[in-house]
């Protein structure tokens, strides 16, 4: 997978059904400007794989407020090394 341009994020959604994948993509589009999505079968066991590119430099108001708060809190904590980011460090890692 090619690294997106600065400010863009490539998002891959894997879901049990196309409807679930579309619902997640719709939430992301409410937060960020997004390019057209592409969906594919996820594999032989079924499911849907949906690829979407979001532009983090063009955030909608709910995401913009959260991002500004998150970034200011991270900058404040960087001085003492206690920043925990979004609280999910290592989440999902196996």
């Amino acid at each position: 997978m090619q690294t997106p341009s600065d400010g863009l994020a490539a998002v891959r959604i894997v879901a049990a059904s196309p409807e679930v994948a579309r619902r997640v993509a719709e939430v992301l589009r409410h937060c960020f400007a997004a390019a057209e999505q592409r969906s594919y079968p996820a594999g032989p066991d079924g499911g849907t794989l949906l690829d979407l590119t979001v532009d983090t430099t063009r955030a909608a108001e709910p995401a913009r407020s959260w991002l500004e708060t998150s970034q200011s809190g991270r900058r404040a904590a960087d001085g003492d090394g206690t920043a925990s980011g979004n609280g999910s460090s290592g989440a999902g890692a196996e």
Side-chain angles (χ1 to χ4, degrees):
M1 178 179 252
Q2 187 177 13
T3 302
S5 303
D6 193 35
L8 300 180
V11 179
R12 177 163 281 182
I13 301 165
V14 180
S17 71
E19 180 57 30
V20 171
R22 281 191 293 269
R23 288 172 56 197
V24 172
E26 185 65 27
V27 169
L28 289 172
R29 281 193 295 273
H30 280 289
C31 295
F32 300 102
E36 185 174 334
Q37 65 192 35
R38 294 171 305 281
S39 61
Y40 314 91
D45 296 330
T48 297
L49 172 69
L50 188 145
D51 289 328
L52 179 70
T53 301
V54 297
D55 184 348
T56 65
T57 65
R58 295 181 21 206
E61 182 51 40
R64 186 177 12 221
S65 297
W66 179 83
L67 287 168
E68 288 170 357
T69 301
S70 174
Q71 290 171 350
S72 65
R74 195 170 354 171
R75 282 191 297 267
D78 281 345
D80 64 6
T82 60
S84 62
N86 64 7
S88 61
S89 179
E94 296 180 15

